[in-house]
C-alpha cells in the first residue's frame, strides 16, 4: 500500500483528496501549509508527494526544489491553478514529475498517480505479490494464505504488503512507522507490535508457521520458512 503526502491549503479540496485516496487504498498524510509539509518530509518517507503550488509558509515549488537538492527521489505531482506553459516549465524544471491544473477530475488524478508509482517502482500497483503460500493483490485489496482468504484490516493489509515487497529485509519499528503508518493518532511502537501480533495470528491459522519473525535488537522481517 503506497504512502502519499498531500500538501494542500484549500481545506475542502484537502478533505476530498484524503477521502478519495483512502478509498483507493492509499495511506495518506494531509497537511495544509508548506512548513508542515517540509517537516513531514524530514521525519517520514513517502511513495508520492502531491503539492499545491501556492502554499502559506513555504511554496510547493520551494519544497520541491529543496527536496530534489537533498537528493529526494520520490515522485512529485503539482496541483495548481496555474496552467500557463511557462508555469508548467518552471514546475517541471524544479523537479516535479507531473502537473495537474485545477479544477481536475479525481479519476484523472488517480490515473496519474498510478503512472507515477509505476514509473518509480517498475511495477504496477495491481501486480500480484507472492511469498511462498501468501498471495496479495494490492489492487483488489485481497490476500490469501494456502488458498484461504485472509481477513485483514486496512492497517494489517498495509503492513503485510510492505513486508511482501521487501522479503527477508529487516525493518526497525521506527522504519515501519515511517512507511506504513499515517503520522498521527495510533502511530506508536505499541501499535506496530499489536498489528504484527494480529497478522501473525491470521497467518498461523491452520497450523502454518508465522512468516513475520522478530530479529532481536533490530526489528522484523518476512522470513522464508
Amino acid at each position: 500500500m503506497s504512502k502519499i503526502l498531500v500538501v494542500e491549503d484549500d481545506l475542502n479540496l484537502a478533505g476530498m483528496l484524503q477521502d478519495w485516496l483512502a478509498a483507493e487504498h492509499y495511506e495518506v498524510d494531509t497537511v495544509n501549509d508548506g512548513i508542515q509539509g517540509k517537516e513531514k518530509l524530514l521525519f517520514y518517507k513517502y511513495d508520492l508527494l502531491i503539492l499545491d503550488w501556492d502554499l502559506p509558509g513555504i511554496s510547493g515549488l520551494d519544497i520541491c526544489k529543496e527536496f530534489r537538492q537533498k537528493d529526494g527521489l520520490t515522485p512529485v505531482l503539482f496541483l495548481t491553478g496555474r496552467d500557463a506553459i511557462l508555469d508548467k516549465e518552471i514546475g517541471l524544471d524544479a523537479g516535479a514529475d507531473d502537473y495537474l491544473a485545477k479544477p481536475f477530475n479525481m479519476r484523472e488524478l488517480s490515473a496519474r498517480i498510478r503512472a507515477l508509482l509505476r514509473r518509480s517502482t517498475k511495477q504496477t500497483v495491481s501486480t500480484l505479490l507472492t511469498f511462498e503460500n501468501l498471495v496479495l493483490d494490492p489492487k483488489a485489496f485481497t490476500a490469501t494464505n494456502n488458498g484461504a482468504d485472509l481477513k485483514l484490516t486496512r492497517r494489517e493489509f498495509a503492513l503485510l504488503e510492505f513486508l511482501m515487497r521487501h522479503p527477508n529485509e529487516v525493518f526497525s519499528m521506527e522504519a515501519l512507522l515511517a512507511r506504513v503508518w499515517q503520522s498521527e493518532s495510533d502511530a506508536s511502537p505499541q501499535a506496530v507490535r499489536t498489528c504484527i501480533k494480529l497478522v501473525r495470528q491470521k497467518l498461523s491459522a491452520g497450523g502454518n508457521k508465522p512468516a513475520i519473525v522478530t530479529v532481536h535488537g533490530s526489528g522484523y522481517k518476512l522470513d522464508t520458512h
Side-chain angles (χ1 to χ4, degrees):
M1 185 179 293
S2 298
K3 188 172 182 178
I4 298 174
L5 173 64
V6 176
V7 189
E8 170 59 61
D9 66 327
D10 183 323
L11 298 183
N12 288 331
L13 178 56
M16 291 172 60
L17 290 168
Q18 175 79 36
D19 293 343
W20 177 268
L21 295 174
E24 294 273 287
H25 303 305
Y26 296 111
E27 291 289 342
V28 188
D29 278 350
T30 303
V31 295
N32 304 118
D33 64 60
I35 294 174
Q36 292 182 75
K38 183 178 176 180
E39 289 176 348
K40 290 288 186 186
L41 290 176
L42 290 176
F43 297 105
Y44 299 95
K45 294 183 179 179
Y46 296 93
D47 299 296
L48 178 70
L49 310 179
I50 298 179
L51 304 177
D52 185 20
W53 183 303
D54 296 306
L55 290 167
I58 304 173
S59 72
L61 189 70
D62 288 338
I63 291 174
C64 184
K65 285 180 179 178
E66 184 174 336
F67 183 67
R68 293 298 187 224
Q69 288 170 357
K70 293 181 178 179
D71 298 322
L73 300 176
T74 303
V76 175
L77 169 64
F78 270 128
L79 301 180
T80 176
R82 300 170 182 245
D83 59 359
I85 296 298
L86 179 59
D87 289 325
K88 293 181 180 180
E89 182 180 357
I90 291 171
L92 294 172
D93 284 346
D97 298 275
D98 203 355
Y99 188 108
L100 194 55
K102 302 175 183 178
F104 55 86
N105 184 284
M106 288 293 190
R107 292 192 178 279
E108 180 179 2
L109 173 66
S110 292
R112 291 181 183 241
I113 288 172
R114 291 193 296 270
L116 289 171
L117 291 174
R118 281 198 300 270
R119 199 179 306 165
S120 64
T121 63
K122 306 300 182 182
Q123 57 188 355
T124 66
V125 295
S126 61
T127 299
L128 291 178
L129 299 176
T130 60
F131 184 84
E132 297 192 344
N133 297 321
L134 291 173
V135 180
L136 186 144
D137 186 341
K139 183 67 174 179
F141 202 66
T142 60
T144 60
N145 186 23
N146 286 321
D149 289 338
L150 286 172
K151 304 299 183 182
L152 301 172
T153 66
R154 179 182 179 84
R155 183 73 66 221
E156 292 163 0
F157 190 95
L159 173 66
L160 185 58
E161 178 186 348
F162 178 74
L163 292 175
M164 288 181 72
R165 291 190 184 277
H166 305 277
N168 296 306
E169 292 184 40
V170 179
F171 293 95
S172 67
M173 227 172 314
E174 291 75 17
L176 292 175
L177 279 171
R179 295 305 304 271
V180 178
W181 267 253
Q182 291 172 253
S183 55
E184 66 251 7
S185 62
D186 66 339
S188 68
Q190 183 57 45
V192 176
R193 286 190 288 267
T194 298
C195 188
I196 287 175
K197 177 182 177 180
L198 293 172
V199 174
R200 280 173 168 166
Q201 289 174 350
K202 294 178 181 182
L203 292 178
S204 62
N208 296 321
K209 177 183 176 182
I212 301 176
V213 301
T214 301
V215 180
H216 293 289
S218 298
Y220 303 92
K221 69 174 179 176
L222 193 66
D223 191 40
T224 304
H225 292 182

